[in-house]
Amino acid sequence: MKKIVVIGVGLIGGSFALDIKRVYKDAVIYGVDESDTHLDEALELQVIDKKAELNEISNADLVIVSIPVDATVKHISKVLDLVSDTTLVIDVGSTKEAICEVIDTHKNRRNFLAAHPIAGTEFSGPKAAKQHLFNGKTMIICEVEKTAFKLQEKALQLFSNVGMRIRYMNPKAHDKHIAYVSHLSHISSFMLGKTVIEKEKNERDIFDMAGSGFESTVRLAKSSPDMWTPIFKQNKANVVETLEEYINNLSKFKQFMEADNFEAIHSEMKNTNHIKDILNGII
Amino acid sequence: MKKIVVIGVGLIGGSFALDIKRVYKDAVIYGVDESDTHLDEALELQVIDKKAELNEISNADLVIVSIPVDATVKHISKVLDLVSDTTLVIDVGSTKEAICEVIDTHKNRRNFLAAHPIAGTEFSGPKAAKQHLFNGKTMIICEVEKTAFKLQEKALQLFSNVGMRIRYMNPKAHDKHIAYVSHLSHISSFMLGKTVIEKEKNERDIFDMAGSGFESTVRLAKSSPDMWTPIFKQNKANVVETLEEYINNLSKFKQFMEADNFEAIHSEMKNTNHIKDILNGII
């Protein structure tokens, strides 16, 4: 792989760029981004080697599309229009159903691989890019059978080279499950942050009392609204369902407290404690 | 300080024991615990020097009470009955109003200091004890004026020696604010864990898709129900209030989604983003 185009030089695209440069010594990374500031930053940080326009795609070996999921759905057909026979286009967004649908009948569908790396931080932009972000992490691949065999191989080689393990899944199942283990966590964090900030308006110094537990639960509330709003929009039905179940569980907990049923409170927590073993399995 | 009695040799009591041994070289730590297994563990791990009974208190320099908050309220009067004039008794529980009330008119009230270290992990028991847990952390002290001046000095010296900064607060304000920045975070984590675990019963492999964001938001769901049930019970009114506000915020977010009002969703997140600066201030 020599010519790589990264569309969207933020946290995920930038981290792929850094890892690709580390693993493929003669790779040249072309950065495309609607923000010129981001492109200049990425160039200065040596995340990319050159600033480029979309037409650079035509003879690229690999194109990574790492932009907000609404922009991906909007631009992906144009990207696929431009590729050559040997170009692999990987989309790394957090929702998979809409994107798979929109390119399903594209004449270059076989050049495309739908993927979702379960990796990231609460930060965004080129400065957030870092080497080894994907090491030991899971890559979810959707509809692998629709990608040309040689390009599948190329992708798997790349993912393996940066240290990822692979899980195959259909787009519908992906979007449903990811709502539970990722999207809901973000909303829970944002609303927790909001609840405490609202309180703080009237009660000064409340944050002096916050410790690592609070920090841990609200960390995701630092995430980018520009990235997350389109995700929630595309995955609306699933996210609303998870929110409903979460709110029901919280309301039940509150009712137990109001009824002084602390045996139930104890067993609610006890029954959830085995999250320990589950987390040990995934981390 | 030579003779120290730690009542409750778990995460917090054990961590104080370890730090005290590090800072006061000739200190001898006596451990008291209703669990013999915990005492044996603490002795083997050299968290304590000797197993002891409550009557060891009579000529101790320092007594640290670090047991579930309902047990503290139940036993604290008996503890204060036993102390000598120069014994300092520090309670380190997560609620302060009930404990301050129950010993308010005790004849040895001046031997008592109500404190709450904003430090901890999601683990419990003697194995969870660790050195330097309190370094750089906040110690909240309530009703300091009710503690004998010389014993205040002794306590402040200890807290400073283990690296803590001090905040003074009345018990009522403590319990109200801590509900927001600690108790609510725990419930949010437990119920998030519950929501996902319930889903997983029907949908296998869902946890394969969980990443560091999920881990961060459900970490506190590993916490001990034996410790947290009494906290929620003692701080019921405040915790119910925070839950109400949290559930309202989540419901509003869900309504915005259902109404396809993604501008509102964006601004909800944007407005909460400044949690960044707040967290930078506290960590």
Side-chain angles (χ1 to χ4, degrees):
Chain A
M1 294 212 295
K2 287 190 177 163
K3 182 165 184 179
I4 321 287
V5 180
V6 175
I7 305 177
V9 295
L11 164 67
I12 297 296
S15 297
F16 265 114
L18 289 173
D19 269 6
I20 289 169
K21 282 167 76 160
R22 188 170 50 81
V23 174
Y24 300 91
K25 294 298 178 196
D26 54 355
V28 179
I29 313 274
Y30 295 72
V32 177
D33 202 299
E34 63 165 22
S35 155
D36 233 14
T37 321
H38 272 188
L39 274 187
D40 287 334
E41 244 175 61
L43 196 63
E44 199 184 306
L45 293 164
Q46 295 182 288
V47 168
I48 61 172
D49 299 307
K50 295 181 188 199
K51 301 202 277 181
E53 300 288 331
L54 208 55
N55 56 18
E56 282 293 347
I57 290 176
S58 59
N59 60 346
D61 296 301
L62 170 66
V63 179
I64 292 182
V65 185
S66 44
I67 54 181
V69 294
D70 55 341
T72 307
V73 165
K74 196 170 158 199
H75 297 301
I76 193 68
S77 296
K78 196 168 49 188
V79 170
L80 280 180
D81 288 346
L82 295 171
V83 298
S84 76
D85 224 36
T86 57
T87 305
L88 167 64
V89 178
I90 305 178
D91 142 61
V92 292
S94 296
T95 50
K96 297 271 73 80
E97 205 174 348
I99 179 70
C100 283
E101 210 174 287
V102 82
I103 47 81
D104 195 46
T105 57
H106 194 286
K107 69 177 168 44
N108 295 329
R109 172 64 184 87
R110 58 196 297 281
N111 293 78
F112 178 80
L113 185 78
H116 179 199
I118 309 298
T121 70
E122 66 274 31
F123 304 111
S124 49
K127 278 182 201 143
K130 57 181 188 180
Q131 280 193 25
H132 304 289
L133 178 66
F134 306 106
N135 191 30
K137 303 293 166 59
T138 300
M139 180 65 104
I140 297 171
I141 295 179
C142 292
E143 300 190 333
V144 68
E145 69 285 355
K146 297 190 178 175
T147 307
F149 187 66
K150 286 214 166 195
L151 298 180
Q152 285 179 33
E153 274 188 322
K154 197 196 269 190
L156 292 179
Q157 190 61 55
L158 166 65
F159 301 153
S160 156
N161 283 341
V162 301
M164 305 191 82
R165 62 176 197 163
I166 308 296
R167 290 290 179 273
Y168 298 99
M169 205 170 255
N170 73 60
K172 208 177 175 63
H174 169 275
D175 284 12
K176 189 179 185 65
H177 292 182
I178 206 73
Y180 281 89
V181 291
S182 167
H183 302 176
L184 178 59
S185 284
H186 283 78
I187 299 173
S188 130
S189 261
F190 270 110
M191 292 303 102
L192 193 60
K194 184 186 175 186
T195 305
V196 179
I197 286 172
E198 279 176 347
K199 195 68 195 172
E200 196 231 4
K201 281 180 197 155
N202 306 313
E203 317 272 355
R204 287 187 53 212
D205 303 330
I206 194 169
F207 287 108
D208 258 9
M209 303 174 72
S212 58
F214 180 71
E215 203 279 337
S216 178
T217 41
V218 299
R219 180 171 70 83
L220 298 178
K222 304 176 193 171
S223 303
S224 156
D226 297 339
M227 174 183 162
W228 281 96
T229 304
I231 292 175
F232 295 146
K233 193 171 175 182
Q234 271 189 20
N235 208 15
K236 174 181 160 183
N238 290 316
V239 171
V240 166
E241 184 190 304
T242 66
L243 265 172
E244 215 148 86
E245 292 172 19
Y246 184 48
I247 292 169
N248 281 344
N249 282 328
L250 285 163
S251 302
K252 211 156 70 183
F253 194 95
K254 180 167 150 275
Q255 281 155 20
F256 285 142
M257 287 203 49
E258 287 167 332
D260 286 317
N261 186 353
F262 288 96
E263 265 178 59
I265 292 289
H266 189 280
S267 81
E268 288 277 290
M269 292 192 276
K270 183 111 193 141
N271 293 338
T272 307
N273 264 174
H274 83 270
I275 198 87
K276 257 181 239 188
D277 313 310
I278 295 168
L279 291 174
N280 283 344
I282 62 164
I283 301 303
Chain B
M1 293 211 295
K2 287 191 178 162
K3 183 165 183 179
I4 321 287
V5 179
V6 175
I7 305 177
V9 295
L11 164 67
I12 298 295
S15 296
F16 266 114
L18 288 172
D19 269 6
I20 289 170
K21 283 167 75 159
R22 188 170 51 80
V23 174
Y24 301 89
K25 293 298 179 196
D26 53 354
V28 179
I29 312 273
Y30 294 73
V32 177
D33 203 299
E34 63 167 21
S35 154
D36 233 13
T37 320
H38 272 188
L39 274 186
D40 287 335
E41 245 176 62
L43 196 63
E44 200 184 306
L45 294 163
Q46 295 182 286
V47 168
I48 59 171
D49 299 307
K50 294 181 188 197
K51 302 203 276 182
E53 301 288 332
L54 208 55
N55 55 21
E56 282 291 348
I57 290 175
S58 58
N59 60 347
D61 296 301
L62 170 66
V63 178
I64 293 181
V65 185
S66 45
I67 54 182
V69 293
D70 54 342
T72 306
V73 166
K74 196 172 158 197
H75 297 301
I76 193 69
S77 297
K78 197 167 48 187
V79 170
L80 281 180
D81 288 345
L82 294 172
V83 298
S84 76
D85 224 36
T86 57
T87 306
L88 167 64
V89 178
I90 305 177
D91 142 62
V92 293
S94 297
T95 50
K96 296 270 73 80
E97 205 175 348
I99 179 71
C100 284
E101 210 175 286
V102 82
I103 47 82
D104 194 46
T105 55
H106 194 286
K107 70 176 167 48
N108 295 328
R109 174 63 185 87
R110 57 195 299 280
N111 294 79
F112 179 82
L113 185 79
H116 180 198
I118 308 298
T121 71
E122 67 275 30
F123 304 111
S124 48
K127 278 181 201 145
K130 56 181 188 179
Q131 281 193 24
H132 304 289
L133 178 66
F134 306 106
N135 190 31
K137 303 293 167 58
T138 300
M139 179 66 102
I140 297 171
I141 296 178
C142 293
E143 301 190 331
V144 67
E145 68 286 356
K146 297 191 179 176
T147 307
F149 187 65
K150 287 216 165 192
L151 298 180
Q152 285 180 31
E153 274 189 321
K154 197 197 268 190
L156 291 179
Q157 190 61 54
L158 167 65
F159 300 153
S160 156
N161 283 342
V162 301
M164 305 191 83
R165 62 174 197 164
I166 308 297
R167 290 289 179 273
Y168 298 98
M169 205 170 255
N170 74 59
K172 208 178 173 64
H174 168 276
D175 283 13
K176 189 178 185 66
H177 293 181
I178 206 71
Y180 281 90
V181 290
S182 167
H183 303 176
L184 178 59
S185 284
H186 283 79
I187 298 173
S188 133
S189 261
F190 270 110
M191 291 305 100
L192 192 60
K194 184 186 175 188
T195 306
V196 180
I197 286 172
E198 278 176 348
K199 195 69 196 170
E200 195 229 6
K201 281 180 195 150
N202 306 314
E203 315 273 355
R204 288 186 53 210
D205 304 331
I206 194 171
F207 287 107
D208 259 10
M209 301 174 73
S212 57
F214 180 70
E215 203 278 338
S216 177
T217 41
V218 299
R219 181 172 67 83
L220 298 178
K222 304 177 192 171
S223 304
S224 157
D226 297 337
M227 174 183 162
W228 282 95
T229 305
I231 293 174
F232 295 146
K233 195 171 175 181
Q234 272 189 18
N235 207 15
K236 175 180 159 182
N238 289 316
V239 170
V240 166
E241 184 190 303
T242 66
L243 265 173
E244 216 148 85
E245 292 173 19
Y246 184 49
I247 291 169
N248 281 346
N249 282 328
L250 285 163
S251 301
K252 211 157 70 184
F253 194 96
K254 181 168 150 275
Q255 282 155 20
F256 285 143
M257 286 202 52
E258 286 167 333
D260 286 318
N261 186 352
F262 288 97
E263 264 179 58
I265 292 289
H266 188 280
S267 80
E268 288 277 289
M269 292 193 277
K270 183 114 193 138
N271 293 338
T272 306
N273 264 174
H274 83 271
I275 198 87
K276 256 181 243 189
D277 313 311
I278 295 169
L279 290 175
N280 283 343
I282 63 165
I283 301 302

